Amino acid sequence: MPEQQQWTIAASEQPPEWFIQAVKQHTPASSGIYAAQLLWQRGIKDDQQLTAFINHKAYQPASPFEFGQEMHLAIARLQQAYNAREKIAIWGDFDADGITATSVLWDGLGQFVKQNTQLIYYIPNRLKESHGLNNQGIDNLAKQGCKLIVTCDTGSTNIEEIIYAKQLGIDVIVTDHHTLPAERPPVAAIINPRYLPREHQLFHLSGVAVAYKLVEALYQTLPNVAKYPLEDLLDLVAVGLIADLVQLSGDCRYLAQMGIQRLQADFQQPAAARRRPGVGRLLELCQKNGDRPTDISFGLGPRINAVSRIQGNASFCVELLTSRDAKRCNELAEVTELANTRRKSLQKDVQAQVAQKLTQLDLSTTSVIVLEDAQWPAGVLGLVAGQIAQETGRPTILLSTEVAGEAGEAGGEITPLSSNSELRTQHLELALARGSARSVNSVDLYQLVKDQAHLLHRFGGHPFAAGLSLLVENIPLFTAAINQQLRQSLGSTTLTPTVQTDLTLTVADLGKELFLELKLLEPCGMGNPVPKLLIQNCWFENSWHRNQQDWQGKKVQYIKTEFDIRDDSSRSVFPGIWWGHYKDELPVGRCDCIAELDYNTFKKRYEIRLIAVRPSVNSTLNTRNSPLILDLRNQEHSALSTQHGLNPSYPLTALIIEDCPANWDDLRAWLRRCLTISRSTSGLDNQQQLAIAWSKPNPQPPNQIWLTLVGIAKYLSRTNQLVTRVQLLEKIGISDQTLLVGLKALKYLGFTVKRQDRYLQITWHPSDSAENSADAAVARFLAAVREEQFQRQYFAQVPLSTIVAIASYDN
């Protein structure tokens, strides 16, 4: 279960009046006080800084030649290839930063050398290869006659592979932003901002931005060759920068600002006139218009990443982002959207399985969560690890032992730890676990993983994200060692999930005026996060939830709740949304919440996106007569004893719920029964205990349940036996409502269902079947089963606090 979040309020030093007035000049429709307070908190404290931060035209970007001698070496080698008509290969990466970086080099270098003949690109398969260079890929490029490889978003630590390429007569230019090697690799040039001082305006560039700087230097060196302006690449740069979650300061912020403007301007063109029809179609599919950083972080970025997570090979994404063929781009965009739909489903399944495994962990003694499973698809482990890390406040490492693989999902090149390829081959013949790690609370996860290098096969990444592979037999040692190391470094510090709020507001403050004021801070990202708003002593009205659907109208098992929020500051309500939660999880009565203010382009309205919520300290909820609820889920039946929570001092025997409910009405019936017993007993202190003691459901596939129902119906018809509704429910394991849908579907196959007292008589006449309607009826039954199973999975792990809140409300 997720731990109780700790809410912290950012230190609010009141900015001076002159600064507030300076901010107000950029947002004349509002007071400017909130934006001024945020900017002041984030270190923007003079007029020059303010102007450069808000207005990209006032910012002076760095020259690409600030990279020094390495940039000169890179341009010299590219000029040599240009003059000698050598074949050049772009070696990219499979995440959004790597795909956009490849696309920038493809379009940019393609202005100087002929695409597909003199210029090609190669992107490793996420599910079969690792990040970074590999010898098999280099062999393939050598056979095609390549004399120069230009990497992007990868390559800095691939020393052995660079040497191997050199032996084949291939030079390498590395453009990257990941970890530096101990010594300069034997390359023609290496462009990596980590060589620069940390305070340099180029230090935080992502892979796509480094690639752009290389193209910019080539444009400046050969000014009369390119047909299209350099600025045409900026939309791709913005997508990669924002999707990669780098710190948006210095040139990163400038390039993102410029790129978002280009992205929006191109999207506003008629579809047939767009420079990038693939990007435009993706924006349409995710119902965005390209004018917000969130259109990338919640729209374009996840879709580009989904392709390699699901299919492995993401090479076609470069064509999607760069082709001018609208018809072809539409086809590729729809393939991408399908991959993203599949990614969502897989991610949700793995998240549920991880949540179940977490119930077996004692988080009070766990510093680093390390979990493994043979069935987990490696492509989504990083996403789930990030969610678990946020919920628990602990670094999380998820490992798949499904197949032997070369690497984990690292977000950067993977460092091989074996000293020679023969030893690495021997390792691959053994069982390798492959996985991803995510961190929180400023814990340098990369260093933690690196310090266990003796137990690993390969690893790579950043302080907040890493990928790794190791022998399965080493997992227990690795888990113990990394936990011990973090415990020692933390000392008495306790890891807890934390949400920091930036501003305290009321519902009356919400709306267009505040939105436009806070928009001054965009683009937001690391180092400049989206403002978190604390709204106290509020309550929710008109809440409802529904399953999300994909772009073709097919149901995806994702929940979102919509609501209106209200407080004493206004007579008006304000709309909001809570992703991944049911309406019943909203507290009843007054509460405090943390939210982000957003604009919904699809509904054309301003709304809040709920981040966290808890009952208000000033809440007047009456809980005196609520039942005492004991959480004994996922425990053995022997747990229902005094030593596990049932208090012998209570005069009443606890009511025990062993069947996992499928909806809140089922649970409310038990709660009402509890209260009835309590009230019928003399004395207010005689509260009836209610033990929720169901285990996590282990459902059968819906198709199998349907076949079982049909088989039972045929047996009953053949033997002329009667059956009760309860017997059917117990045999098939579904609810009354779902069974009713199934019985209706049987009628389309020629079955007749009649009631005789409390029994059902089922007879079969195949000649009476209506095959044309049967498929739709069966589909309705399968959908009902899936929905019920989804609901039961939810109740297997719904927080106890939510159940208590429902009990309090019903009372």
Side-chain angles (χ1 to χ4, degrees):
M1 295 292 182
E3 287 196 88
Q4 184 67 42
Q5 286 180 328
Q6 178 179 333
W7 292 13
T8 61
I9 301 177
S12 64
E13 178 186 354
Q14 184 69 21
E17 183 61 29
W18 69 263
F19 187 77
I20 296 173
Q21 292 303 317
V23 171
K24 184 173 173 55
Q25 293 179 13
H26 298 280
T27 174
S30 67
S31 67
I33 180 64
Y34 294 121
Q37 185 175 331
L38 287 168
L39 291 165
W40 193 264
Q41 286 174 6
R42 298 178 183 188
I44 309 297
K45 295 189 174 183
D46 65 51
D47 196 54
Q48 185 177 356
Q49 279 182 306
L50 175 65
T51 303
F53 183 87
I54 293 175
N55 181 9
H56 64 83
K57 294 179 181 178
Y59 178 83
Q60 183 59 49
S63 163
F65 292 100
E66 297 251 343
F67 283 104
Q69 181 64 17
E70 294 294 345
M71 184 62 81
H72 288 285
L73 290 172
I75 294 302
R77 184 62 186 86
L78 285 171
Q79 282 185 286
Q80 177 185 330
Y82 172 73
N83 293 329
R85 297 186 179 277
E86 292 177 326
K87 193 166 190 176
I88 303 171
I90 304 164
W91 189 295
D93 195 33
F94 41 69
D95 65 7
D97 190 27
I99 293 291
T100 52
T102 305
S103 301
V104 163
L105 291 180
W106 179 248
D107 268 2
L109 298 182
Q111 295 296 301
F112 301 88
V113 293
K114 190 173 178 60
Q115 292 174 336
N116 296 314
T117 53
Q118 282 182 265
L119 184 68
I120 60 175
Y121 59 85
Y122 179 85
I123 296 175
N125 186 305
R126 184 194 285 262
L127 303 181
K128 296 180 180 179
E129 304 171 76
S130 70
H131 297 268
L133 298 165
N134 63 69
N135 289 358
Q136 184 177 356
I138 293 171
D139 285 337
N140 182 28
L141 297 180
K143 290 177 183 177
Q144 296 182 62
C146 292
K147 296 300 180 183
L148 175 63
I149 293 174
V150 181
T151 76
C152 51
D153 195 35
T154 194
S156 292
T157 59
N158 292 138
I159 309 299
E160 291 184 12
E161 291 79 4
I162 290 168
I163 293 173
Y164 181 73
K166 199 167 187 178
Q167 291 171 348
L168 298 180
I170 302 176
D171 288 334
V172 178
I173 295 174
V174 170
T175 74
D176 193 13
H177 71 123
H178 293 104
T179 307
L180 294 172
E183 298 181 0
R184 183 186 185 278
V187 292
I190 176 169
I191 315 296
N192 190 320
R194 292 195 177 216
Y195 282 117
L196 299 170
R198 178 170 287 274
E199 63 275 8
H200 197 285
Q201 63 196 98
L202 297 176
F203 181 81
H204 295 291
L205 295 186
S206 72
V208 67
V210 177
Y212 175 81
K213 284 295 182 183
L214 176 65
V215 175
E216 182 183 11
L218 193 59
Y219 264 70
Q220 292 179 9
T221 304
L222 302 173
N224 299 317
V225 177
K227 179 181 177 182
Y228 294 102
L230 176 69
E231 291 73 23
D232 279 359
L233 303 175
L234 285 170
D235 49 359
L236 297 178
V237 176
V239 172
L241 270 171
I242 293 171
D244 206 47
L245 302 179
V246 296
Q247 183 166 319
L248 292 179
S249 60
D251 272 37
C252 288
R253 178 174 175 82
Y254 168 78
L255 293 171
Q257 287 172 312
M258 295 278 287
I260 289 173
Q261 285 191 355
R262 306 286 292 197
L263 191 66
Q264 182 186 17
D266 191 47
F267 182 72
Q268 290 176 340
Q269 296 292 321
R274 290 173 182 162
R275 287 184 304 105
R276 301 198 187 278
V279 175
R281 180 58 182 150
L282 279 183
L283 285 170
E284 289 172 348
L285 288 171
C286 59
Q287 299 175 345
K288 308 289 184 184
N289 58 23
D291 68 329
R292 303 284 311 289
T294 49
D295 294 354
I296 295 170
S297 53
F298 295 142
L300 297 178
R303 283 160 173 77
I304 295 170
N305 281 323
V307 175
S308 62
R309 295 184 190 280
I310 300 304
Q311 300 185 6
N313 186 353
S315 295
F316 77 76
C317 288
V318 177
E319 183 182 0
L320 171 65
L321 298 183
T322 61
S323 173
R324 270 38 172 194
D325 184 340
K327 182 179 179 181
R328 173 64 174 160
C329 286
N330 286 345
E331 294 171 356
L332 296 178
E334 293 184 0
V335 174
T336 303
E337 187 69 14
L338 282 173
N340 191 52
T341 299
R342 177 62 177 151
R343 186 271 305 170
K344 289 181 182 178
S345 178
L346 282 178
Q347 182 179 342
K348 181 187 171 300
D349 291 344
V350 173
Q351 171 119 13
Q353 295 169 33
V354 170
Q356 174 61 26
K357 287 180 181 286
L358 277 177
T359 63
Q360 311 302 318
L361 278 184
D362 182 358
L363 289 181
S364 66
T365 60
T366 302
S367 299
V368 182
I369 295 170
V370 183
L371 298 172
E372 62 173 292
D373 193 281
Q375 302 302 317
W376 288 343
V380 299
L381 292 186
L383 297 171
V384 179
Q387 290 176 306
I388 299 302
Q390 289 293 330
E391 290 176 2
T392 62
R394 288 161 174 76
T396 300
I397 302 173
L398 302 181
L399 300 167
S400 172
T401 56
E402 180 181 18
V403 292
E406 270 287 308
E409 179 192 1
E413 70 276 359
I414 300 295
T415 302
L417 302 176
S418 307
S419 60
N420 57 72
S421 58
E422 180 181 354
L423 183 56
R424 291 208 299 271
T425 302
Q426 292 173 359
H427 276 198
L428 289 176
E429 294 172 356
L430 301 173
L432 275 178
R434 176 186 181 203
S436 298
R438 296 294 184 268
S439 190
V440 287
N441 289 332
S442 300
V443 175
D444 189 339
L445 185 58
Y446 178 81
Q447 189 60 47
L448 275 178
V449 173
K450 183 179 179 182
D451 289 344
Q452 311 307 322
H454 59 289
L455 296 172
L456 303 178
H457 175 53
R458 308 186 89 180
F459 79 97
H462 307 287
F464 284 94
L468 66 158
S469 58
L470 72 163
L471 293 173
V472 172
E473 63 188 44
N474 284 349
I475 294 177
L477 287 173
F478 172 77
T479 303
I482 200 169
N483 269 276
Q484 182 181 14
Q485 181 186 351
L486 183 55
R487 275 196 299 270
Q488 290 175 348
S489 64
L490 288 174
S492 60
T493 304
T494 302
L495 291 174
T496 56
T498 302
V499 182
Q500 177 170 304
T501 65
D502 299 293
L503 297 170
T504 301
L505 301 171
T506 67
V507 172
D509 295 319
L510 303 173
K512 179 179 180 180
E513 182 179 307
L514 179 63
F515 175 83
L516 295 176
E517 183 175 331
L518 297 183
K519 204 170 187 289
L520 290 179
L521 279 79
E522 292 185 355
C524 295
M526 288 185 64
N528 179 40
V530 176
K532 301 289 190 296
L533 313 177
L534 174 62
I535 306 170
Q536 296 175 305
N537 207 24
C538 58
W539 63 94
F540 299 100
E541 298 177 353
N542 306 321
S543 60
W544 62 285
H545 61 242
R546 65 185 176 91
N547 281 341
Q548 282 300 98
Q549 295 184 333
D550 72 8
W551 61 285
Q552 291 181 323
K554 298 177 181 177
K555 184 174 289 186
V556 179
Q557 297 290 344
Y558 262 74
I559 288 295
K560 75 169 181 178
T561 289
E562 298 195 36
F563 56 82
D564 290 329
I565 188 172
R566 186 193 290 272
D567 67 6
D568 295 323
S569 68
S570 172
R571 293 183 178 181
S572 301
V573 298
F574 194 80
I577 190 169
W578 198 14
W579 286 98
H581 293 270
Y582 285 95
K583 66 177 183 180
D584 306 278
E585 295 178 68
L586 292 170
V588 178
R590 293 181 181 262
C591 60
D592 302 333
C593 73
I594 299 174
E596 296 173 357
L597 184 58
D598 199 10
Y599 180 72
N600 188 320
T601 55
F602 181 64
K603 292 190 173 183
K604 300 189 184 324
R605 72 176 191 185
Y606 298 94
E607 64 187 20
I608 60 167
R609 186 165 59 245
L610 197 59
I611 305 298
V613 63
R614 67 186 183 191
S616 172
V617 294
N618 299 319
S619 176
T620 57
L621 276 179
N622 173 22
T623 59
R624 178 166 180 77
N625 292 325
S626 298
L628 178 64
I629 303 175
L630 305 174
D631 192 354
L632 300 178
R633 285 175 288 182
N634 303 306
Q635 297 188 27
E636 298 295 331
H637 288 286
S638 60
L640 304 180
S641 63
T642 57
Q643 62 180 341
H644 284 86
L646 291 183
N647 192 335
S649 66
Y650 280 81
L652 300 174
T653 303
L655 291 177
I656 302 172
I657 316 176
E658 294 183 294
D659 294 328
C660 184
N663 55 63
W664 282 106
D665 288 340
D666 290 349
L667 191 54
R668 284 189 177 100
W670 281 93
L671 295 170
R672 285 194 294 271
R673 181 179 171 190
C674 238
L675 290 170
T676 300
I677 295 173
S678 295
R679 290 165 179 166
S680 66
T681 307
S682 60
L684 287 175
D685 293 328
N686 287 337
Q687 286 182 304
Q688 170 65 61
Q689 288 179 302
L690 178 65
I692 55 174
W694 55 78
S695 298
K696 181 183 178 182
N698 185 24
Q700 288 184 303
N703 283 330
Q704 185 59 50
I705 292 175
W706 168 247
L707 293 176
T708 301
L709 177 59
V710 173
I712 291 173
K714 289 181 178 179
Y715 172 78
L716 294 173
S717 176
R718 186 172 66 252
T719 60
N720 202 30
Q721 291 187 31
L722 302 179
V723 66
T724 67
R725 175 185 54 80
V726 173
Q727 288 173 326
L728 275 179
L729 294 176
E730 291 177 349
K731 186 68 176 178
I732 304 174
I734 57 178
S735 68
D736 245 343
Q737 186 176 359
T738 304
L739 176 62
L740 180 62
V741 178
L743 294 177
K744 289 181 178 178
L746 286 176
K747 294 180 181 179
Y748 290 98
L749 296 183
F751 289 94
T752 301
V753 181
K754 295 182 179 179
R755 292 185 180 274
Q756 292 188 10
D757 297 326
R758 63 188 186 90
Y759 292 96
L760 298 176
Q761 181 184 38
I762 301 178
T763 55
W764 187 32
H765 304 283
S767 60
D768 294 339
S769 63
E771 295 183 2
N772 293 337
S773 304
D775 288 346
V778 173
R780 285 192 292 272
F781 174 72
L782 296 177
V785 172
R786 281 192 290 268
E787 175 66 18
E788 180 182 327
Q789 291 178 348
F790 176 64
Q791 297 271 10
R792 292 189 192 277
Q793 291 286 350
Y794 165 76
F795 280 102
Q797 52 194 325
V798 62
L800 180 61
S801 59
T802 301
I803 297 175
V804 171
I806 294 298
S808 303
Y809 173 70
D810 287 343
N811 179 50

